[in-house]
Amino acid sequence: MKNNKKSSKRFVLVTGGTGYIGSHTVVALIAAGYNPIIVDNLSNSKVSVLKRIKKITGKLPLFYKMDLRNTMALNKIFQKHSIASVIHFAGFKAVGESVAEPLKYYENNIQSTISLCKVMNMHSVKKIIFSSSASVYGEASVVPIKENSLPVPASPYACTKLMIEQILIDIYLADPFWRIALLRYFNPVGAHESGLMGEDPQGIPNNLMPYISQVAVGRHKKVNIFGNDYPTDDGTGVRDYIHVMDLAEGHVAALKKIETATFKKPQIINLGTGKGYSVIEILRAFEKAAGKVIPYRITKRRPGDIAACYADIKLAKKLLGWKAKRNLADMCADAWHWQSQNPKGY
Ligand code: NAD
Ligand code: UFG
């Protein structure tokens, strides 16, 4: 009976879909012919992103303002719509804040996932893609980092990611009909090429590229480079920056694989470009894109930072047939396009 009330349309539930990576993935899903439904409590995003999605794609995705930990409300969404699969982005993500307020992170990230998986189980929805992070690898890693490197998470945030991976693996061990992709992102940057959507951090940005772009637009005086005495070519930290639309398309590729049940068991996959760039290289590339000099000063190292982190990307290519297409110049040009058109964000 319950099923008769549902429309015949099959949906992909996108948790955290108004957030930075989620919103770009919703655009990529619509472009690939999927029908996304967004669930987000707007704790770190704005509802106005929906209008931007409509402007880009011509479609306004269904949206529920809801906390994932509200299991009963989530259940109603699954009763109402025929959901085929889930992409789970929702969660808190600030590494430093997680060190200061660990309970906030364990409570939100873990409880949201448990609530979500319980409801998925009740409705026999057993396909999920989870947003994990390269931060699970921590300090001890050698580069490029392979998926089988021993994880050594260095913050409560990174611990929540590793714990959620384990929760999902255990769910699969109890019920092998689950199809699970655990995607470990490196450093997502950039914006949609239209300049209509991009990263809109609340308060002072923690991450390098949004900080640089806010300096370029005049919101801060100079970039603080956290240390130039690392064992890298120019002494500044090296990371694997990936264009957010490449990342979004990586999710579409993973969704296609879990839909066709190619993955017989949970797959951990790095999503990066495989290339590392230093802080100075990013700053110079951004200056080129923005056509202006970006002032900076060298300050002391940020606690917890590592010298270099970039991905071994062979597994993504092999399992997903996916590879990032956009280069550093594209990442900076699109980030600048977004920031210069939206100096104060959404
Ligand atoms: P974001 O903060 O922009 O998006 C997360 C969204 O989840 C926000 O819109 C927020 O409102 C929502 N949310 C949080 N808790 C919720 C809850 N209990 N119920 C409903 N909605 C909730 O972050 P993002 O950069 O888009 O990251 C998405 C995912 O990718 C996160 O899980 C993050 O940990 C992971 N990730 C991000 C990065 C990065 O550098 N951005 C790197 C690796 C992994
Ligand atoms: N950096 C600066 N100045 C800044 C900000 C950053 O010099 O104002 C440097 C950092 O020291 C580091 C590099 O720029 O060398 C990148 O720092 P980000 O804060 O942009 O990114 P992280 O690599 O520290 O962490 C990010 C996300 C994590 C995620 C991780 C995955 O914040 O959530 O990438 O690799 F887990």
Side-chain angles (χ1 to χ4, degrees), residues 93 95 133-135 157 185-187 206-209 211 223-226 237-239 241 279 302 305-306 309:
K93 64 164 181 178
V95 176
S133 162
S135 64
Y157 163 72
Y185 317 152
F186 281 67
N187 291 51
N206 296 308
N207 299 119
L208 181 65
M209 179 89 70
Y211 200 98
V223 176
N224 298 305
I225 295 186
F226 300 146
V238 166
R239 297 289 183 276
Y241 297 90
V279 177
R302 182 171 64 179
D305 273 354
I306 52 175
C309 168

Side-chain angles (χ1 to χ4, degrees), residues 215-218 283 286-294 336:
V215 170
V217 87
L283 190 104
F286 206 96
E287 285 184 326
K288 232 182 206 170
K292 53 170 87 177
V293 172
I294 296 169
W336 177 238

Side-chain angles (χ1 to χ4, degrees), residues 133-135 137 141-149 183-187 238-242 247 268-277 306 308-317 322-324:
S133 162
S135 64
Y137 295 116
S141 40
V142 285
V143 287
I145 304 175
K146 282 190 198 304
E147 287 82 351
N148 61 7
S149 305
L183 305 182
R184 291 178 175 169
Y185 317 152
F186 281 67
N187 291 51
V238 166
R239 297 289 183 276
D240 184 336
Y241 297 90
I242 173 168
L247 193 63
I268 294 173
I269 306 171
N270 287 340
L271 294 188
T273 63
K275 271 203 183 96
Y277 289 104
I306 52 175
C309 168
Y310 50 93
D312 185 308
I313 54 167
K314 287 191 213 76
L315 195 64
K317 181 116 197 291
W322 167 93
K323 195 173 182 280

Side-chain angles (χ1 to χ4, degrees), residues 221-225 280 283-284 287 294-298:
K221 283 210 176 83
K222 40 180 83 163
V223 176
N224 298 305
I225 295 186
I280 294 282
L283 190 104
R284 297 293 178 225
E287 285 184 326
I294 296 169
Y296 71 89
R297 65 172 169 204
I298 307 290

Side-chain angles (χ1 to χ4, degrees), residues 15-23 39-46 66-69 88-94 108-109 112 130-135 157 161 183-188 199 207 247:
T15 78
T18 47
Y20 172 46
I21 305 169
S23 58
V39 169
D40 199 302
N41 64 3
L42 302 178
S43 56
N44 197 37
S45 54
K46 303 208 178 94
M66 211 198 74
D67 196 298
L68 275 185
R69 289 167 291 177
H88 180 32
F89 292 105
F92 293 150
K93 64 164 181 178
N108 189 41
N109 294 4
S112 300
F130 171 61
S131 300
S132 190
S133 162
S135 64
Y157 163 72
K161 292 291 168 188
L183 305 182
R184 291 178 175 169
Y185 317 152
F186 281 67
N187 291 51
E199 190 166 8
N207 299 119
L247 193 63

